Amino acid sequence: VGAPARPRAQRAARLALALALLGFGLHAAWRPRHGPKASYRDLGPRLRARGVDAVVAHDRRAAHYAGARHVPTLALPPALRHDARALLDLARREVDRGAAAVVVVVDDEAGRATSAALAALLEATAGPAVARPLEARGARVHALDAFVLPPSGP
């Protein structure tokens, strides 16, 4: 009268697998996507609105979301990757006709020191308006400062 035991066990195993996969799929669909990286998605359109063509940064996400060219800080020797003057020189070399930005992650003391040094250097050379960074902050995201350098000329 009943079905053989083997097909019944196979059906139970398939049902358990389907439920496990469904649970995993629902979890993946409802969790926030790359929460700590949300600040890059927030910063990108703001850089695009300022006409940024090149973004000097360690992480390429800021450039990607801004629709700009990424200039990696890996082009610098390791000792200069937190040096404000080296980052600024790299950004100025990369600017053709549009604006450039230097994006610094300010989650740690080295990042905060780099941001403060960039602000001081830009205030001395380009004025206080350029020295004020665009900030991307939030709960459980990378804190970012972006300094936008105006176009170098026609």
Side-chain angles (χ1 to χ4, degrees):
V1 172
R6 184 175 180 131
R8 189 175 295 161
Q10 286 178 343
R11 281 192 302 248
R14 287 182 182 156
L15 179 62
L17 178 62
L19 289 174
L21 291 174
L22 179 65
F24 178 75
L26 290 174
H27 168 73
W30 286 336
R31 69 176 169 76
R33 289 193 57 224
H34 303 290
K37 308 298 183 186
S39 50
Y40 290 101
R41 288 190 296 274
D42 172 52
L43 187 60
R46 294 165 51 201
L47 293 174
R48 186 181 318 121
R50 284 166 177 78
V52 169
D53 288 336
V55 175
V56 174
H58 177 73
D59 193 315
R60 70 176 57 240
R61 282 184 253 286
H64 170 75
Y65 289 113
R69 185 170 34 95
H70 177 236
V71 181
T73 58
L74 296 176
L76 296 170
L80 296 178
R81 291 185 188 152
H82 285 286
D83 182 80
R85 186 167 301 281
L87 292 170
L88 192 55
D89 289 345
L90 183 60
R92 287 186 173 145
R93 275 197 310 266
E94 293 296 327
V95 172
D96 295 327
R97 292 181 160 282
V102 178
V103 176
V104 180
V105 178
V106 291
D107 287 341
D108 60 5
E109 191 56 43
R112 287 188 290 274
T114 302
S115 180
L118 269 169
L121 188 59
L122 284 169
E123 186 165 359
T125 59
V130 177
R132 215 172 359 247
L134 295 173
E135 295 178 348
R137 304 282 194 274
R140 291 181 286 175
V141 298
H142 289 300
L144 303 175
D145 282 350
F147 295 89
V148 178
L149 285 66
S152 58

